[in-house]
Amino acid sequence: MSDFLLDPEVTFLNHGSFGACPKEVLEDYQHWQLQLERQPVRFLQRELPTLLADARRTVAEFLGAQPHELVFVSNPTFAANTIARCLPLGPGDEVLITDHEYGACRFAFQYAAEQKGFRVVQQAITLPVESNEAIVDEFWQGVNENTKLIFMSHITSSTALTLPVEAICQRAREAGIFTMIDGAHAPGQIPVHLGKLGADFYTATCHKWICAPKGSGIFYVREDRQPMVDPLVVGWGWGPEKTFHRENEFVSNHEWLGTHDPAPFLAVPAAIAWQKKHFTDEARQKAWDLVRSAVDQASQIEGIQRVHPNDFFQQMGLIDVTALKLESDALKTRLYDNYRIEAPVIRWQDRMFIRISAHAYTTEQDIATFVNAMREIAANA
């Protein structure tokens, strides 16, 4: 698709890792960088507060939140570290996660657990999944009287599984348990309404499925939970001598952490506008259909299996290539060097997956290239 700068010589099936930014969004991003460099003091001190507030309003409307309930962050890892460090967790307390969680965010809680004395407990979600109700019931087996926080992905990175987070958040609230949802792969791929979701805390990237510039993400904290959340980095928006006064204490504390390039944040509204104009429901359905076609065709090859029923994945899908008995690094290198296919090979527990992503630029020929490559690789395994 001509809207993107992706190398036409590469079959790019890895939007899920770092996204891809349309040209017109990149132009908006570069516009803000030029504005910053033309008059840094005016831009950062006098213009930026209003610009960030406008951008947050756009993102809040897109995600079904209030503008004062979210701030921009560089990525969900930052937000996970914030919650892991600031919540009053200590000896005897437990944070319950699934065994599908993204490593960096899991590490943030494990590190804080070593410092503060609480436990991080992993509850298995067995594959293949059967129903949302079965997922909730299996996950809830890990809950006990010591569970203080549930941290889980909206759509998992390693296994591309859409989890029933709204049902889990509702059940957690009834039990008096805090919830934090890692939505790195959700906004832009599936509808997200934070007001209805019911999570206490939510974080997401904007540079993946919203297609904003790299280094743009959001951190949502429900208004009644904001007094609990101290800033991970204390800056000019904190304390009696603070120089930044935003809509409320949460935004003041968390929005400005020191001098940095805010252009990725300011370009998020342009990415949302591009989504609404170019990546319509019809285009998104086409991307879903392409991923499902790739999974369906590849899973008919001897030694390759599907992982999830179609209802549990969207623009990212998985095939299980464990039976091919290949080394993951060697398989990834082979895909790229021999076929110019960019797709992640993922080790999860004792299984090996290939994750396939599709977006507006993905074509039927891309899927055919991938399936033909897998047919040759399997035949020679």
Side-chain angles (χ1 to χ4, degrees):
M1 184 179 181
S2 60
D3 282 15
F4 292 82
L5 294 169
L6 291 166
D7 185 347
E9 300 300 317
V10 174
T11 300
F12 193 74
L13 298 176
N14 194 11
H15 193 96
S17 283
F18 304 110
C21 196
K23 294 176 186 176
E24 64 185 72
V25 179
L26 280 173
E27 290 171 359
D28 189 73
Y29 166 59
Q30 291 163 345
H31 159 77
W32 295 118
Q33 289 182 313
L34 288 173
Q35 293 297 104
L36 166 62
E37 295 305 327
R38 285 191 177 116
Q39 226 294 21
V41 174
R42 182 185 66 202
F43 185 81
L44 292 174
Q45 292 189 345
R46 299 196 283 275
E47 297 176 352
L48 185 60
T50 299
L51 293 172
L52 284 172
D54 291 343
R56 280 191 291 102
R57 274 193 291 272
T58 300
V59 177
E61 180 181 3
F62 183 68
L63 296 178
Q66 296 300 316
H68 61 271
E69 292 180 308
L70 60 85
V71 290
F72 289 110
V73 292
S74 54
N75 50 60
T77 303
F78 188 96
N81 273 273
T82 301
I83 293 300
R85 306 288 185 89
C86 77
L87 284 193
L89 299 168
D93 295 333
E94 293 182 1
V95 173
L96 181 63
I97 68 175
T98 77
D99 59 345
H100 297 246
E101 298 311 316
Y102 183 65
C105 293
R106 174 167 55 84
F107 298 160
F109 282 98
Q110 289 174 335
Y111 177 86
E114 291 184 6
Q115 305 300 308
K116 300 166 69 173
F118 64 87
R119 293 181 64 226
V120 177
V121 178
Q122 291 191 52
Q123 174 60 36
I125 302 295
T126 306
L127 299 181
V129 294
E130 297 178 356
S131 67
N132 284 329
E133 292 77 15
I135 293 173
V136 174
D137 289 343
E138 184 175 26
F139 179 73
W140 210 257
Q141 292 175 19
V143 173
N144 60 46
E145 66 275 7
N146 298 318
T147 306
K148 297 299 186 292
L149 172 71
I150 287 170
F151 176 82
M152 69 188 316
S153 297
H154 203 155
I155 298 175
T156 63
S157 177
S158 58
T159 54
L161 174 64
T162 303
L163 294 173
V165 295
E166 185 172 351
I168 289 172
C169 287
Q170 179 179 349
R171 194 162 177 177
R173 181 175 294 189
E174 293 169 355
I177 299 169
F178 297 123
T179 51
M180 181 175 189
I181 304 302
D182 176 3
H185 289 280
Q189 187 174 176
I190 60 175
V192 174
H193 193 293
L194 295 175
K196 296 178 180 177
L197 186 66
D200 297 293
F201 318 107
Y202 192 100
T203 184
T205 55
C206 298
H207 63 254
K208 289 183 186 286
W209 300 96
I210 296 178
C211 297
K214 311 298 181 284
S216 56
I218 63 100
F219 178 31
Y220 162 90
V221 177
R222 210 177 71 202
E223 186 170 12
D224 61 334
R225 302 304 191 202
Q226 291 179 0
M228 305 173 60
V229 183
D230 296 327
L232 183 62
V233 177
V234 173
W236 286 107
W238 178 87
E241 299 179 63
K242 66 184 178 184
T243 59
F244 294 126
H245 299 270
R246 305 299 194 248
E247 293 98 314
N248 61 10
E249 287 295 307
F250 171 70
V251 179
S252 295
N253 284 343
H254 294 267
E255 183 165 85
W256 188 250
L257 308 180
T259 303
H260 64 275
D261 179 6
F265 303 156
L266 299 179
V268 174
I272 291 173
W274 182 90
Q275 290 266 335
K276 291 179 178 179
K277 181 179 179 181
H278 297 285
F279 201 51
T280 60
D281 289 344
E282 182 180 358
R284 184 170 285 105
Q285 183 64 54
K286 180 182 176 182
W288 291 359
D289 291 342
L290 287 172
V291 172
R292 287 165 182 158
S293 175
V295 171
D296 289 342
Q297 293 183 64
S299 61
Q300 295 174 23
I301 300 169
E302 186 175 355
I304 299 176
Q305 296 180 330
R306 67 182 303 121
V307 181
H308 306 310
N310 282 348
D311 290 345
F312 288 91
F313 64 92
Q314 280 76 36
Q315 289 169 242
M316 290 197 307
L318 288 184
I319 56 172
D320 188 327
V321 295
T322 309
L324 297 182
K325 297 182 179 180
L326 298 171
E327 292 295 327
S328 56
D329 289 345
L331 176 54
K332 181 176 175 61
T333 299
R334 195 166 167 186
L335 279 170
Y336 191 80
D337 289 353
N338 294 1
Y339 303 98
R340 302 294 283 170
I341 294 172
E342 187 70 72
V345 179
I346 297 169
R347 279 283 182 188
W348 182 76
Q349 299 185 8
D350 59 349
R351 300 170 70 176
M352 189 164 75
F353 304 136
I354 297 177
R355 193 182 71 192
I356 309 127
S357 300
H359 210 278
Y361 50 79
T362 311
T363 66
E364 292 182 3
Q365 182 56 53
D366 292 333
I367 301 306
T369 298
F370 174 74
V371 172
N372 289 335
M374 292 311 304
R375 190 172 288 116
E376 290 184 12
I377 289 170
N380 295 295

